[in-house]
Amino acid sequence: MTDDIRSEILLHVNGRTHRLSVDNRRTLLDALREGMGHTGPKKGCDRGQCGACTVLLDGRRVVSCLTLAVAADGAEVTTVEGLADDGELRPLQQAFIQLDGFQCGYCTPGQLCSAIGMLAEHAAGWPSAVTADISPDGPAPELDAGEVRERMSGNLCRCGAYPSIVRAVLETASREEVTR
Amino acid sequence: MKEFAYHRPSQIREALTMVVGNEGAQYLGGGTNLVDLMKDGVEMPTRLVDVRHLPLDGVRAAPGGGLVIGATTTNSDAAAHPEVRRRYPALSQAVLAGASGQLRNMATVGGNLLQRTRCAYYADPSQPCNKRSPGSGCSAITGEHHNHAVLGWSDHCVATHPSDMAVALAAFDAVVRYETLDGTHEIPLSEFYLPVGATPQHETVLPSGALITAVSLPKSAVSPRSQYRKVRERASYAFANVSIAAALDVHEGTVRSARIALGGVASCPWRARVAESVLQDGAATADKFRAAADAELSAAKPLRDNGYKVTLARNLIEAVLTELAARTK
Ligand SMILES: Cc1cc2nc3c(=O)[nH]c(=O)nc-3n(C[C@H](O)[C@H](O)[C@H](O)COP(=O)(O)OP(=O)(O)OC[C@H]3O[C@@H](n4cnc5c(N)ncnc54)[C@H](O)[C@@H]3O)c2cc1C
Ligand code: SF4
Ligand code: FES
Ligand code: FES
């Protein structure tokens, strides 16, 4: 076994395959931003605490600042740049614009990716910490403002646009859950 | 960050041979704790062995009627699993009370058990800390310790274990399964974490290089009637000040069985066996619940700035038991 400190990896980002040689220390966030020019995911804390770097990894939302690029070898990555369908903004993105779901916009790429991942989790019937009855035999948890706030609590917004973010997510939840 | 090699074995034996006997080698789960600590310069592995491509994913029924949760099952999948929600609801709630949606999608069950303390001095290599640098002293005892331990600490370390999941596992008598080159081993969670004593750097009984493969939950009549509640400094996305996992079986006003574990109060999930024995076969009343809490917490030794945790723990025990008792009538 050779203990190389670099690796050759493949990443499928927004439908395009990239072959990269990375230092094993490289995070997925840095690989996306600096290696591949995807500057949508933002570096807020670089410590898993703010959610600005959220991307979808094989369809699930993760923080890319604590994901090693080498550990994502072979995965499908979706960044905010890949959310729109052929240049057509999806309902959630339009709602963020119409309802002022941001001010400075720094947290927005993470909020959008996180919300898309969160809606898929909800559609799959996952409960949250505020779901009153988590029994799998009862009805699936309804999305309301409390549920959205809890499920999106991993995304901080320094501008405090939370009320509009919650509205934008609620407004488009049913449409996003079917178009996905 | 120090340079390191990365390996992605697909067989357990292969993974073990990559780590056993290599001081710089560490397993990598979701990386949500390890990569964070590598950025701090607290952890400096020279080889990472990724466990997530080993055949250790998923939840399955155990022969005796319990459940086995594979070590690489993500926190999200464990919490959403129908049988976990149906039979061990407090476990689902505990996992959902931890971290964020993104982090739970990354974090594994094995990594969650082995996550390190959130004591800020531990994460700062410029400060004395016996857990990180044995013999250097404990900065927290006289420093910032409002969220440190009130039970079972020693003069060498007053840190708490941060896991929510492990608190529920402790209440349910979970067993940790692990693999060494000698074979498969099992240890009850209640014996998995070591008392702090004079060696806070040694947190568990796991031999060096051992690979956690699963956590098993024994069949239990009381576990379906359980609840997890966490008190923290924000409504969401913060570590516990105090948390509780409790299960209660009441029949005609009498406690047939009670299970209680507390989080945020000690170096490991604190199984409240004194309170449980006070409750056993007694009346299911608020007075009795309070007496049980008091009996357990008589052993508490709060630090200068965390006496509030004793009150909080007492109130949580009483409140959650009262709710569980009301539900079973
Ligand atoms: C911002 C933030 C907030 C958080 N909030 C909470 C919270 O509120 N409640 C809570 O409980 N947790 C919280 N966490 C912690 C989180 O739950 C843990 O980081 C996570 O569970 C660790 O799992 P992992 O798979 O990512 O472990 P890793 O970081 O990959 O590994 C942790 C340790 O376990 C070892 N390891 C991993 N798998 C195995 C195995 N199979 N066998 C042997 N050793 C292994 C690794 O070598 C390492 O030493 C938070 C984390 C962050 C970053
Ligand atoms: S409480 Fe423990 S972890 Fe914190 S400074 Fe003291 S020895 Fe280190
Ligand atoms: S930059 Fe990744 S969570 Fe803050
Ligand atoms: S819009 Fe500025 S941080 Fe959220």
Side-chain angles (χ1 to χ4, degrees):
Chain A
M1 180 179 29
T2 52
D3 259 351
D4 291 330
I5 56 160
R6 297 187 68 85
S7 305
E8 304 296 319
I9 64 168
L10 286 183
L11 288 176
H12 312 287
V13 185
N14 302 333
R16 263 194 58 200
T17 299
H18 298 255
R19 184 180 297 276
L20 304 172
S21 166
V22 291
D23 185 311
N24 292 335
R25 292 173 292 188
R26 196 116 172 120
T27 61
L28 177 60
L29 176 61
D30 286 341
L32 287 167
R33 289 182 57 84
E34 302 188 21
M36 290 177 266
H38 285 291
T39 52
K42 296 288 181 275
K43 189 181 285 191
C45 63
D46 211 22
R47 283 294 200 282
Q49 298 172 1
C50 74
C53 65
T54 303
V55 300
L56 301 174
L57 190 67
D58 290 330
R60 289 196 174 182
R61 54 179 174 158
V62 300
V63 287
S64 58
C65 68
L66 292 184
T67 302
L68 295 171
V70 62
D73 182 16
E76 301 272 351
V77 183
T78 305
T79 68
V80 70
E81 293 97 328
L83 289 185
D85 190 10
D86 250 347
E88 177 88 18
L89 292 185
R90 49 195 301 165
L92 180 73
Q93 292 171 302
Q94 284 164 7
F96 261 64
I97 295 169
Q98 275 149 20
L99 300 170
D100 291 328
F102 53 86
Q103 287 179 34
C104 76
Y106 198 80
C107 71
T108 313
Q111 301 278 4
L112 290 168
C113 289
S114 185
I116 296 294
M118 179 278 276
L119 291 170
E121 294 165 5
H122 175 255
W126 292 12
S128 86
V130 299
T131 305
D133 179 9
I134 62 159
S135 157
D137 309 314
E142 283 271 326
L143 263 197
D144 57 18
E147 283 280 355
V148 171
R149 275 196 290 268
E150 165 58 30
R151 290 169 192 257
M152 292 292 290
S153 70
N155 291 84
L156 306 190
C157 173
R158 178 65 182 73
C159 299
Y162 299 111
S164 318
I165 294 170
V166 171
R167 264 200 297 152
V169 172
L170 279 175
E171 191 102 328
T172 49
S174 51
R175 274 177 288 157
E176 285 289 356
E177 286 187 1
V178 284
T179 55
R180 214 176 158 274
Chain B
M1 206 189 285
K2 204 161 134 186
E3 291 171 326
F4 57 85
Y6 171 87
H7 299 285
R8 187 184 274 191
S10 55
Q11 298 303 322
I12 290 171
R13 189 88 195 167
E14 193 188 357
L16 284 169
T17 57
M18 289 173 172
V19 175
V20 175
N22 182 326
E23 280 232 333
Q26 282 203 54
Y27 294 113
L28 173 72
T32 60
N33 191 224
L34 184 53
V35 173
D36 200 10
L37 290 171
M38 285 161 65
K39 290 185 180 192
D40 287 326
V42 173
E43 295 277 14
M44 284 173 281
T46 51
R47 176 188 287 176
L48 287 185
V49 176
D50 197 335
V51 299
R52 285 170 305 171
H53 298 263
L54 296 172
L56 298 175
D57 187 17
V59 180
R60 60 183 194 281
L67 283 184
V68 178
I69 306 178
T72 62
T73 308
T74 63
N75 285 199
S76 298
D77 286 334
H81 195 277
E83 287 306 312
V84 176
R85 287 155 66 186
R86 191 176 287 127
R87 291 153 67 185
Y88 307 91
L91 175 56
S92 210
Q93 291 171 328
V95 174
L96 292 170
S100 66
Q102 291 95 316
L103 291 161
R104 292 192 296 272
N105 280 342
M106 301 167 69
T108 62
V109 165
N112 190 318
L113 286 178
L114 293 180
Q115 62 174 302
R116 312 304 300 269
T117 184
R118 305 307 284 202
C119 173
Y121 301 107
Y122 175 75
D124 178 356
S126 71
Q127 308 267 7
C129 167
N130 286 326
K131 194 186 271 300
R132 173 175 32 76
S133 174
S136 63
C138 171
S139 301
I141 284 199
T142 55
E144 162 53 42
H145 59 224
H146 86 281
N147 206 12
H148 285 60
V150 293
L151 284 160
W153 52 269
S154 83
D155 289 341
H156 300 272
C157 177
V158 293
T160 58
H161 195 271
S163 170
D164 290 295
M165 181 191 81
V167 179
L169 291 178
F172 294 144
D173 295 307
V175 174
V176 180
R177 198 173 292 170
Y178 63 93
E179 199 79 15
T180 65
L181 287 174
D182 302 329
T184 305
H185 313 261
E186 291 198 332
I187 178 108
L189 190 76
S190 55
E191 294 162 35
F192 181 73
Y193 296 107
L194 291 164
V196 195
T199 52
Q201 70 275 23
H202 299 307
E203 295 185 351
T204 73
V205 298
L206 274 190
S208 157
L211 173 74
I212 298 180
T213 54
V215 172
S216 64
L217 291 159
K219 186 180 167 159
S220 154
V222 69
S223 68
R225 278 181 285 263
S226 64
Q227 195 180 328
Y228 188 76
R229 184 169 309 164
K230 175 177 183 181
V231 176
R232 43 186 156 179
E233 284 155 16
R234 292 189 290 267
S236 181
Y237 202 21
F239 286 92
N241 295 111
V242 181
S243 68
I244 180 174
L248 189 68
D249 185 7
V250 176
H251 185 66
E252 292 175 354
T254 300
V255 174
R256 275 207 298 214
S257 148
R259 302 268 186 285
I260 304 169
L262 298 171
V265 294
S267 63
C268 60
W270 189 266
R271 180 71 183 265
R273 294 195 193 273
V274 176
E276 289 175 11
S277 67
V278 171
L279 292 167
Q280 186 67 41
D281 300 322
T285 59
D287 282 352
K288 198 72 187 193
F289 298 156
R290 206 171 315 122
D294 283 335
E296 185 69 46
L297 293 162
S298 63
K301 285 187 293 174
L303 303 162
R304 186 193 63 224
D305 294 332
N306 69 359
Y308 75 94
K309 286 197 175 191
V310 180
T311 319
L312 200 48
R314 179 185 299 117
N315 292 347
L316 272 176
I317 293 173
E318 186 189 331
V320 170
L321 292 179
T322 303
E323 279 170 37
L324 285 169
R327 245 203 268 167
T328 51
K329 265 182 210 139

